[in-house]
Amino acid sequence: MREESFRFLTSLVEAPSPSGFEQPAQRVFRDYVTPFAPVTGDVMGNSIARIAGGGEGATRVMLVGHSDEIGLLVKFIDDNGFLFFGAIGGIDPQITQGMRVLVHGRGGAVPGVIGKKPIHLIEPKDRETVVKMETQYIDIGAANRKEAEELVRIGDPVTFRVGVQKLHGDRLAGRGFDDKAGSFVVAEVLREVSLSGKELPVDLYGVSSVQEEVGLRGGTTSSYSVRPDVGICVEVDFATDQPDLDKKQNGDVGLGKGPIVPRGANINPALFDLIIDTAEREKIPVQVTGIPRATGTDANVMQISRGGVATALVKIPLRYMHTPVEVLSLSDLENAVRLITATLYRIGAKEAFIPS
């Protein structure tokens, strides 16, 4: 991966952006994309870039990846200055204990830790019990409620204090790859198209959406506003090349083997075939999975926006989803960019995606 793209990926992932508080990451997205395509925003906080092509009446294509990450939110401050919190998105309460965090207050980020009773003081019968989220608390070092309230407010978002970490080879670990990896791919496709010098046959919109983790909200509103004929959502999916996952349930999917292209009710068959044919022509490795029902992604709401949209998914294999140590392969990101970019130049009339 080129150095500038890697710096963008790192900045995007490390920018705090729990659902409803995405603008630090969205500013990174907008600053990077603006030289390649004009970017507008909306009241939800979505960032929408456009590269016009194809002339009047061209097929309108929307790419979308969401910029929000899971996180925490301050709900209560007790008399001793401890912060009690709730989850933004799906968080396993087993992973939060003992974590370093940042509380994003009006004066800036406040460091803290999620404390717990020492194991020495826990009854043996309780040591195997998961500590519920509502009983956990953040210690920012405040001596009392007054001191704490000088630094944080009810409703402040909280992120895990971890950044991007290079592992062996081209593997990266970090928080928020779900789904800032998708926003990254959308931005890189816009860059590739802009710098290619080739005229697009479609009218292209690239969206970094918000609030996916709490109900696909930004994907819903941006799809309604853009009014695409064709939509490709860029997401992450469970890599099953770790010891404790069942391939019979989630498919045979591994890091570094290419992006995932699902089939199922959420996917337009003609668009799926076009993507797979493009992968074969361009010699881009892909992995196919089956999703029998609606997907829990922005593709779900995009498909049923207005009168319906021909929708597909391109997904990045990811280990340890919704933890602070998500792991992916850079080659999968790069191949997703190649695949989507090549596909865009082969999309014709929107009528081609109407089932016959």
Side-chain angles (χ1 to χ4, degrees):
M1 181 176 288
R2 70 189 194 108
E3 187 175 334
E4 186 179 353
S5 296
F6 184 79
R7 286 199 301 268
F8 165 57
L9 175 63
T10 300
S11 297
L12 188 66
V13 170
E14 294 184 346
S17 60
S19 305
F21 302 90
E22 297 93 349
Q23 290 315 301
Q26 292 289 57
R27 284 191 287 271
V28 173
F29 178 90
R30 290 193 295 267
D31 289 346
Y32 184 77
V33 167
T34 296
F36 314 121
V39 185
T40 58
D42 63 18
V43 70
M44 286 289 293
N46 297 306
S47 294
I48 304 172
R50 182 188 181 196
I51 297 179
E56 186 176 354
T59 300
R60 187 174 296 200
V61 177
M62 175 173 153
L63 308 180
V64 61
H66 70 84
S67 65
D68 58 313
E69 61 179 307
I70 61 168
L72 309 171
L73 184 132
V74 177
K75 296 179 67 177
F76 177 73
I77 304 173
D78 75 6
D79 291 340
N80 294 314
F82 293 100
L83 318 180
F84 290 78
F85 56 85
I88 299 175
I91 297 183
D92 183 347
Q94 293 186 89
I95 70 168
T96 53
Q97 302 164 61
M99 290 296 300
R100 298 186 183 200
V101 297
L102 290 172
V103 184
H104 299 280
R106 55 187 158 189
V110 178
V113 297
I114 300 179
K116 64 168 293 184
K117 184 187 293 187
I119 192 169
H120 318 67
L121 305 178
I122 300 174
E123 294 291 335
K125 63 181 176 62
D126 295 329
R127 290 180 185 179
E128 304 299 323
T129 302
V130 176
V131 179
K132 293 181 179 180
M133 186 81 69
E134 55 266 28
T135 66
Q136 298 181 36
Y137 49 84
I138 297 170
D139 184 349
I140 60 171
N144 51 51
R145 184 201 296 266
K146 184 172 183 291
E147 277 191 13
E149 289 179 339
E150 290 173 355
L151 299 170
V152 302
R153 293 182 292 174
I154 301 299
D156 281 343
V158 181
T159 56
F160 299 113
R161 195 176 187 180
V162 295
V164 171
Q165 174 68 55
K166 288 186 177 181
L167 303 180
H168 181 69
D170 76 340
R171 309 289 169 84
L172 290 185
R175 66 161 221 277
F177 285 132
D178 180 11
D179 178 42
K180 287 185 271 192
S183 287
F184 169 82
V185 169
V186 170
E188 287 292 278
V189 170
L190 292 168
R191 182 181 69 83
E192 290 285 342
V193 169
S194 174
L195 298 180
S196 72
K198 295 191 297 183
E199 178 73 14
L200 268 179
V202 299
D203 193 7
L204 177 62
Y205 291 78
V207 179
S208 180
S209 67
V210 298
Q211 296 194 37
E212 191 270 355
E213 297 290 357
V214 292
L216 315 178
R217 296 175 180 177
T220 300
T221 58
S222 58
S223 296
Y224 189 89
S225 299
V226 170
R227 295 179 289 114
D229 304 302
V230 174
I232 300 175
C233 175
V234 191
E235 255 286 1
V236 294
D237 204 353
F238 307 108
T240 58
D241 57 351
Q242 65 185 74
D244 45 2
L245 291 188
D246 185 354
K247 294 180 180 180
K248 295 190 295 294
Q249 294 296 320
N250 296 297
D252 188 359
V253 176
L255 300 191
K257 297 180 179 180
I260 302 162
V261 186
R263 298 182 70 192
N266 196 180
I267 309 303
N268 179 272
L271 184 54
F272 172 85
D273 289 343
L274 179 64
I275 292 172
I276 295 300
D277 184 68
T278 301
E280 292 172 353
R281 287 190 179 204
E282 301 294 328
K283 295 181 170 54
I284 300 170
V286 294
Q287 306 176 81
V288 176
T289 59
I291 304 179
R293 300 186 180 185
T295 65
T297 72
D298 282 340
N300 190 43
V301 292
M302 184 190 301
Q303 182 190 35
I304 57 175
S305 181
R306 292 183 180 264
V309 177
T311 305
L313 267 169
V314 174
K315 308 184 88 175
I316 309 301
L318 188 73
R319 293 178 185 161
Y320 324 127
M321 195 182 299
H322 281 207
T323 76
V325 293
E326 296 174 337
V327 173
L328 53 66
S329 165
L330 289 177
S331 68
D332 292 331
L333 291 174
E334 292 177 308
N335 281 321
V337 174
R338 290 177 57 208
L339 177 61
I340 295 170
T341 302
T343 300
L344 289 174
Y345 284 97
R346 301 186 64 211
I347 292 176
K350 59 188 175 183
E351 288 78 14
F353 300 102
I354 297 174
S356 58

